Amino acid sequence: MRNKLAKIFASLSNAALAMLLMVPAFAFAEYKLNLQTPNTALGQTIYDLHTLVTWVCVVIFVVVFSEMFYAIYKHRKSVGHPAANFHEHFWVEVAWTILPTLILIAIAVPATKALIQMRDTSEPDMTIKVTGHQWMWGYDYLQGEGEGISFVARLSTPRAQIQGREPKGPNYLLETDNHVVVPTGKKVRVLVTAADVIHAWYVPALAVKQDAIPGFIRDTWFKAKAPGIYRGQCAELCGRDHGFMPIVVEVMTPTDYSAWVAKQKAGMKRPEAVAAAADKAWTLDELKAQGDKVYAANCVACHQATGAGAPPAFPPLTGSKLAVGAKSGAIDMVLNGKPGTAMAPFKHLSDADIAGVLTYIRNNWANKTGDMVTPAEVKAARGGGAPVAAPAAAPAAAAPAAALPASVYYDTGKAVVTDDSKKTLDDVIAQLKANANTKVEITGYTDKTGNLAQNMDLAKDRAVGVRDALIAAGVAKDRINMKPPATVEAGGDPRQARRVDIKPGA
Amino acid sequence: MSTAAHDTTHGHGHDDHAHDHKPYGIMRWVGSTNHKDIGTMYLWFSFTMFLVGGVMALIIRAELFQPGLQIVQPEFFNSMTTYHGLIMVFGAIMPAFVGFANWLIPMQIGAPDMAFPRMNNLSFWLLPPAALLLIAAQFAPGGGAGVGWTMYAPLTTQAGPAMDLTIFAVHILGISSIMGSINIITTILNMRAPGMTLMKMPLFCWTWLITAYLLVASMPVLAGAVTMTLTDRHFGTNFFNAAGGGDPVLYQHIFWFFGHPEVYIIAIPAFGVVSQIIPAFSRKPLFGYASMVYATASIAILSFLVWAHHMYTVGMPVETQLYFMYATTLIAIPTGVKVFNWVATMWKGSLTFETPMLFAIGFLFLFTLGGFTGLVLSIVPVDVQLHDTYYVVAHFHYVMVAGALFSAFGGIYFWLPKWTGKMYDETLGKWHFWLSLIFFNVTFFVQHFLGLAGMPRRIPDYSLQFAEFNAISTIGAFGFGFSQLLFLYIVVKCIRSGKPAEQRQWDGADSLEWTHLPSPAPYHSFATPPVVK
């Protein structure tokens, strides 16, 4: 705590110093004083409406306060002005009630027209669905030219720029990996929704701002005039990285737009690079390197570079049972997310990317599974056809599904495997042989009755016995992780105190 | 109001009040049922919270001084914006005006104390635990809840345990406010001195009577909203979860049904204070007293009918938006009436410009500016451009800081002689005003431009085109913050070594506390009610 405070104070004094140094720089800065130059007809209407209302306010302000300053100047005691004693005047009071009413009505007329125009989303030329996620935007072209195109757009400013380790680029925080591309002169209806919390899709130059509400779809529209790139941001507080989910709309001429659509469609039909990546025989290090990039782009905002997350909303990955446990659980979490939490589905990433990031997570920080998640496994988990690159997975389906976790029970005081337990052990061995990647954890249990040291030794002997049985059956030694013996509370099923558990593990 | 001047000129040694039996030591404050002691505690509590909230504001502004993340992490930044808002609204501004109400209402209507003195004690002593909960939330696992002071669902469902502490704090603050309001309403309606008809009451009492009704009507609504959030978080309800049949926007409707009256809960007592100060220094009765009362009441009623203008971008039917736009612009009419009345009060007066008057004029000028940006924001198509940008931040700081806070400063300088029996340092007071005025505008005027150019609020980092104005704003914020330490010095200096004040320190002030009570006001005043002609 002390350190943190000291750090804050140090930074504040640095900031104060920087302030003094910055002052001369203002002279050269470019100051933007008004709304962004609109690129839609409606935007122009709103711009003019804002100008009108502001001028009305300025005029009233000047009139009222010139009276006040006149009084301050002329009606002061120090110049000997005597106080009058009037305190009401019927007609004046009526006048300054009626006059503002008329002015308001005069403003309301153009405001009403603009509002009705603004909310008319009927007869669009094309429709795009926008989905706000923590913290990126998903886009689906639903109708019109480009129908079927779908992608996700994330902040593409490197973290090094944000943290001041690199100079900031001209479009700092207003750049994304994918642009929303639209044609000029077409009415684009935008359906806006969200996957987790409320966001808002805001592009000032297109005069569009619409809250993205999870579970509901709202709409808005724009018709862009000139080609160009228009940048906006999420406008509704949506958690940690609310300031880091920009929107980039690229407006093209209809011809360029058609070309863009054709290119996108071609990319969708023959995702050669993606397919090649999936079929490639990856090594663990290659997958980790791939995963590092994917992690930095998708995961680091919540789960942090240290993997420690920001509990409780964003759980740690380092030391996480789910992350290093059975691969299927980890794959499922990344593919499908966890409803009701900030963990969004990442289905849109390629198999190779998901495999890479999972391999990275399972072999980084305190996590040392030493195995890799292959693109084929991810593909299989998607239900997208038979697994290709994992022949060992085929018998896995046939193997007894529930062999793991298993418990091997012993007679009191003995470390010899009983006949019943031998069958359990055989099932486990069969499953381990079928799944070359599965690892196990072995724990011996005892209770607290009698001599504790003796009990512990017995539990350990039994666990070692199980390990030797597995090794004898051909299971590699590095797939077995021995855990320290554990005790169970007295009063339960006495069998529990003389067992060895075999669990899938790291 | 129109009472004969009392012939006592010096408070000290006035026989009737020479034997004040006040308890001594800490128990005087812990167990106090005296409206003046409780008023004092409210004011010191609110100033403490003002400094806490101010430090948070400076952390925010320090981070925003330059593009990039330099000082804090985004989640801590979000927590700062959240608790800065909550602490300033519920901890600083609202208790400050309740402090004024406690000190002044009994004295201005000729009552010996508040109607329910023990409840009064409890309303105050609920505040420190609530404040501690808000501060403790910073140290909860995962840090403070970075959800914004408006606490929109479903972001609140994601937040950590800090959210529960915050919700509980809001509950406690709400109970405190409701009890305080019941006390104020009962005192004003039942304990006025003979002859003090409602329409003879000083306007400050009127504004508090109306505010107290707003509080009683709106605080339970907020309590409901946060309780629904709590049950959504822990007890499996789905009020704000679409997947369970709820609606996240429902939260906003409920919150703003409280939230808009809340704006006036803060502003209306500020109107009251200014309506005492301006006539006093104009040496002229308040222009349009009756229309002031009616305008205040109209604003209060309208405040319950316009809540959705905070939510133009959630997507409502166009007819609903039209209604809320028209209803909102209507508020400009009674507000305009008030501003015209204040200016007309000054017109042809005999003006002097002591510190309270300077703050009142500062209030009038800048609050009106904030009112005009409010009119701009009421126009839906324009608001859609400006909603959730720094334009809104600038707008409500003009109303809350230059409006309510300046009015509170003016009030403190105005009544400090009556409360302490001593005068503050006039030169330093003027310094405080001019520093506050200049730095306030340096901080917030430029934020209009940021908002127009499209900078969203509540972001810890921004793109390069916003850099210059943010740097200026930060410089202003630090200047404004440090100027308030001068205020603390002035008040402490006044209490310790101020020159003795006159009974009627301001010759234009004509309410009962000036005409009938010495300075300092005795511990027990108006044990026998004065007769008001």
Side-chain angles (χ1 to χ4, degrees):
Chain A
M1 192 59 229
R2 250 186 119 85
N3 280 338
K4 208 169 174 182
L5 278 180
K7 226 168 127 184
I8 290 175
F9 281 122
S11 313
L12 284 179
S13 53
N14 285 343
L17 187 68
M19 260 181 228
L20 293 174
L21 297 174
M22 281 284 289
V23 172
F26 295 149
F28 308 102
E30 197 185 324
Y31 297 95
K32 186 91 177 63
L33 301 178
N34 206 338
L35 291 165
Q36 293 188 14
T37 313
N39 186 35
T40 66
L42 177 64
Q44 188 61 48
T45 310
I46 293 173
Y47 188 98
D48 296 340
L49 185 60
H50 171 255
T51 309
L52 169 77
V53 180
T54 305
W55 275 113
V56 168
C57 292
V58 168
V59 168
I60 300 175
F61 194 80
V62 167
V63 169
V64 172
F65 285 96
S66 53
E67 309 260 316
M68 187 184 84
F69 283 111
Y70 181 84
I72 287 175
Y73 184 64
K74 286 280 188 181
H75 304 156
R76 52 207 287 158
K77 197 180 177 190
S78 56
V79 297
H81 192 273
N85 198 34
F86 64 85
H87 52 84
E88 52 194 13
H89 189 290
F90 181 76
W91 287 112
V92 168
E93 292 181 57
V94 169
W96 69 38
T97 311
I98 303 282
L99 202 63
T101 311
L102 296 178
I103 295 173
L104 289 179
I105 292 170
I107 295 174
V109 173
T112 305
K113 278 188 194 155
L115 176 56
I116 290 170
Q117 201 188 341
M118 190 180 90
R119 295 307 309 277
D120 178 14
T121 55
S122 61
E123 293 172 26
D125 297 312
M126 56 185 281
T127 306
I128 302 176
K129 187 180 88 172
V130 178
T131 309
H133 296 270
Q134 283 172 319
W135 290 276
M136 58 191 154
W137 294 98
Y139 297 96
D140 298 280
Y141 287 60
L142 294 187
Q143 168 257 325
E145 192 182 358
E147 186 177 324
I149 295 174
S150 172
F151 56 86
V152 165
R154 266 179 246 100
L155 177 72
S156 61
T157 302
R159 291 196 90 76
Q161 286 189 16
I162 297 170
Q163 287 158 353
R165 288 181 278 114
E166 277 175 18
K168 295 176 178 32
N171 293 316
Y172 177 68
L173 293 190
L174 293 181
E175 50 200 349
T176 57
D177 51 0
N178 292 311
H179 293 179
V180 190
V181 179
V182 293
T184 53
K186 292 279 194 298
K187 183 170 182 176
V188 181
R189 180 177 180 224
V190 188
L191 302 180
V192 185
T193 186
D196 31 48
V197 299
I198 302 178
H199 304 266
W201 200 74
Y202 172 36
V203 184
L206 300 176
V208 178
K209 183 186 285 138
Q210 175 59 54
D211 288 1
I213 296 157
F216 292 86
I217 292 178
R218 309 287 204 223
D219 66 350
T220 182
W221 69 278
F222 64 89
K223 190 193 259 184
K225 288 195 287 195
I229 291 182
Y230 302 92
R231 296 169 200 275
Q233 286 175 271
C234 176
E236 182 65 60
L237 178 63
C238 56
R240 188 177 193 279
D241 279 357
H242 162 53
F244 303 92
M245 47 183 294
I247 297 149
V248 180
V249 178
E250 190 170 349
V251 181
M252 291 179 176
T253 60
T255 335
D256 289 349
Y257 177 72
S258 301
W260 178 80
V261 169
K263 207 174 136 206
Q264 295 295 311
K265 297 264 175 174
M268 282 161 62
K269 270 190 215 126
R270 295 182 295 110
E272 277 166 10
V274 177
D279 294 343
K280 180 179 163 188
W282 293 80
T283 67
L284 189 129
D285 285 340
E286 283 169 348
L287 275 174
K288 264 185 83 171
Q290 173 74 7
D292 192 2
K293 281 183 232 152
V294 178
Y295 188 86
N298 296 279
C299 318
V300 74
C302 300
H303 293 294
Q304 307 291 310
T306 58
F314 310 119
L317 295 178
T318 175
S320 152
K321 286 206 183 84
L322 180 76
V324 298
K327 283 190 223 170
S328 56
I331 296 174
D332 177 62
M333 178 60 81
V334 174
L335 275 179
N336 300 319
K338 190 173 177 190
T341 70
M343 182 66 195
F346 284 86
K347 284 201 255 285
H348 53 273
L349 297 180
S350 73
D351 292 346
D353 281 352
I354 293 181
V357 80
L358 279 169
T359 307
Y360 173 80
I361 289 166
R362 290 165 72 86
N363 295 288
N364 201 13
W365 316 298
N367 301 344
K368 307 262 177 275
T369 59
D371 64 358
M372 57 180 183
V373 176
T374 62
E377 284 170 303
V378 177
K379 193 173 176 193
R382 280 187 208 266
V388 265
L404 281 176
S407 294
V408 182
Y409 298 103
Y410 292 83
D411 292 334
T412 313
K414 300 260 171 65
V416 181
V417 178
T418 62
D419 285 348
D420 277 357
S421 301
K422 212 164 165 56
K423 180 159 182 343
T424 315
L425 215 47
D426 286 345
D427 287 347
V428 170
I429 290 166
Q431 184 175 350
L432 286 177
K433 282 188 163 173
N435 296 278
N437 289 323
T438 308
K439 297 192 167 193
V440 288
E441 279 174 5
I442 296 176
T443 317
Y445 285 86
T446 180
D447 60 19
K448 288 174 177 161
T449 54
N451 183 328
L452 185 63
Q454 226 169 33
N455 285 352
M456 286 298 196
D457 283 345
L458 185 59
K460 207 171 150 188
D461 285 349
R462 286 168 176 165
V464 168
V466 169
R467 182 190 68 181
D468 292 346
L470 294 184
I471 292 173
V475 177
K477 205 173 168 183
D478 63 358
R479 291 171 62 193
I480 302 167
N481 185 5
M482 297 297 284
K483 291 286 185 185
T487 54
V488 297
E489 290 303 318
D493 180 351
R495 276 201 335 150
Q496 298 298 325
R498 22 187 184 85
R499 74 178 205 271
V500 169
D501 272 2
I502 310 167
K503 283 183 264 186
Chain B
M1 294 294 289
S2 50
T3 49
H6 199 279
D7 58 0
T8 321
T9 46
H10 293 284
H12 298 282
H14 191 299
D15 280 349
D16 294 353
H17 306 295
H19 306 291
D20 289 339
H21 299 290
K22 47 180 138 172
Y24 289 95
I26 184 88
M27 287 316 287
R28 168 180 170 187
W29 303 103
V30 173
S32 183
T33 52
N34 181 291
H35 73 101
K36 300 186 180 77
D37 279 356
I38 293 174
T40 304
M41 288 195 292
Y42 264 109
L43 289 166
W44 278 111
F45 172 82
S46 104
F47 187 73
T48 312
M49 287 294 106
F50 174 62
L51 293 185
V52 173
V55 168
M56 292 177 167
L58 293 186
I59 293 173
I60 294 170
R61 283 308 332 164
E63 177 55 55
L64 291 175
F65 179 58
Q66 284 182 317
L69 291 177
Q70 288 92 12
I71 298 170
V72 297
Q73 289 304 305
E75 60 269 38
F76 184 70
F77 181 93
N78 287 346
S79 164
M80 286 297 100
T81 56
T82 304
Y83 291 92
H84 164 71
L86 285 170
I87 285 178
M88 285 304 198
V89 168
F90 293 104
I93 299 281
M94 286 171 68
F97 285 107
V98 181
F100 279 103
N102 261 288
W103 256 104
L104 298 169
I105 289 175
M107 295 202 296
Q108 290 192 332
I109 61 171
D113 205 309
M114 298 294 281
F116 306 115
R118 274 184 212 291
M119 192 162 88
N120 204 12
N121 172 288
L122 188 55
S123 338
F124 172 76
W125 281 108
L126 282 174
L127 294 181
L132 287 177
L133 282 175
L134 288 179
I135 292 165
Q138 305 308 313
F139 304 99
V147 295
W149 85 277
T150 50
M151 300 180 283
Y152 276 9
L155 191 57
T156 43
T157 320
Q158 268 185 9
M163 196 64 230
D164 303 314
L165 298 179
T166 309
I167 289 173
F168 193 41
V170 170
H171 279 142
I172 297 176
L173 291 163
I175 293 170
S176 161
S177 291
I178 291 170
M179 292 201 300
S181 304
I182 291 171
N183 221 336
I184 288 167
I185 294 172
T186 315
T187 307
I188 294 179
L189 292 185
N190 291 329
M191 295 177 66
R192 278 168 289 126
M196 177 65 81
T197 61
L198 281 174
M199 290 308 275
K200 272 189 190 167
M201 283 199 307
L203 205 79
F204 177 76
C205 298
W206 255 115
T207 55
W208 249 113
L209 179 62
I210 291 166
T211 303
Y213 274 106
L214 284 182
L215 275 167
V216 170
S218 69
M219 289 310 282
V221 179
L222 173 66
V226 295
T227 307
M228 289 156 93
T229 303
L230 190 72
T231 61
D232 268 14
R233 283 169 57 78
H234 297 297
F235 307 120
T237 58
N238 287 303
F239 291 112
F240 310 131
N241 175 15
D247 181 353
V249 179
L250 173 66
Y251 175 86
Q252 297 183 27
H253 282 291
I254 302 174
F255 178 86
W256 287 112
F257 189 80
F258 146 81
H260 199 74
E262 170 68 19
V263 173
Y264 294 103
I265 286 165
I266 289 170
I268 289 179
F271 296 161
V273 168
V274 168
S275 301
Q276 300 302 117
I277 296 174
I278 290 182
F281 294 92
S282 304
R283 292 164 184 80
K284 203 168 144 273
L286 182 68
F287 188 90
Y289 174 87
S291 73
M292 281 298 217
V293 172
Y294 300 140
T296 310
S298 319
I299 292 175
I301 292 165
L302 281 173
S303 76
F304 282 107
L305 305 173
V306 296
W307 74 90
H309 70 214
H310 297 268
M311 318 159 40
Y312 282 151
T313 61
V314 298
M316 281 177 277
V318 66
E319 295 81 359
T320 315
Q321 287 189 321
L322 284 172
Y323 159 73
F324 280 108
M325 177 168 78
Y326 299 150
T328 303
T329 51
L330 277 185
I331 295 185
I333 297 166
T335 313
V337 166
K338 295 180 85 82
V339 171
F340 299 140
N341 280 338
W342 286 319
V343 173
T345 305
M346 290 167 70
W347 189 253
K348 288 190 191 274
S350 181
L351 300 170
T352 54
F353 304 96
E354 289 88 345
T355 312
M357 184 60 163
L358 290 179
F359 272 107
I361 294 172
F363 161 91
L364 187 50
F365 193 70
L366 298 177
F367 176 82
T368 307
L369 209 159
F372 276 127
T373 54
L375 181 65
V376 172
L377 288 170
S378 74
I379 308 296
V380 182
V382 179
D383 179 76
V384 165
Q385 283 282 286
L386 299 175
H387 176 79
D388 269 335
T389 69
Y390 261 81
Y391 192 91
V392 175
V393 176
H395 158 71
F396 68 72
H397 280 95
Y398 268 80
V399 181
M400 295 284 142
V401 180
L405 183 66
F406 273 29
S407 155
F409 282 147
I412 285 169
Y413 286 112
F414 186 62
W415 279 293
L416 210 47
K418 180 54 63 186
W419 294 342
T420 64
K422 293 172 185 168
M423 264 307 278
Y424 60 89
D425 186 323
E426 191 65 63
T427 314
L428 288 182
K430 285 181 176 158
W431 268 99
H432 176 222
F433 168 73
W434 286 108
L435 288 174
S436 297
L437 181 85
I438 292 166
F439 282 123
F440 169 81
N441 282 295
V442 172
T443 311
F444 292 108
F445 198 77
V446 293
Q447 292 185 0
H448 291 115
F449 304 133
L450 287 174
L452 286 166
M455 177 170 164
R457 59 193 286 211
R458 295 165 169 167
I459 57 174
D461 193 6
Y462 48 81
S463 51
L464 302 179
Q465 79 266 34
F466 304 128
E468 290 78 21
F469 286 132
N470 270 298
I472 295 172
S473 183
T474 297
I475 292 168
F478 275 83
F480 187 82
F482 288 117
S483 305
Q484 305 321 313
L485 297 178
L486 176 62
F487 172 66
L488 178 63
Y489 173 75
I490 295 168
V491 172
V492 171
K493 187 180 168 205
C494 167
I495 293 170
R496 291 188 147 194
S497 59
K499 291 198 194 77
E502 310 270 316
Q503 167 171 334
R504 195 167 174 176
Q505 179 66 37
W506 317 112
D507 57 334
D510 63 355
S511 45
L512 291 183
E513 78 273 25
W514 301 107
T515 55
H516 281 61
L517 296 174
S519 297
Y523 197 60
H524 296 293
S525 47
F526 294 132
T528 29
V531 176
V532 181
K533 289 177 205 124

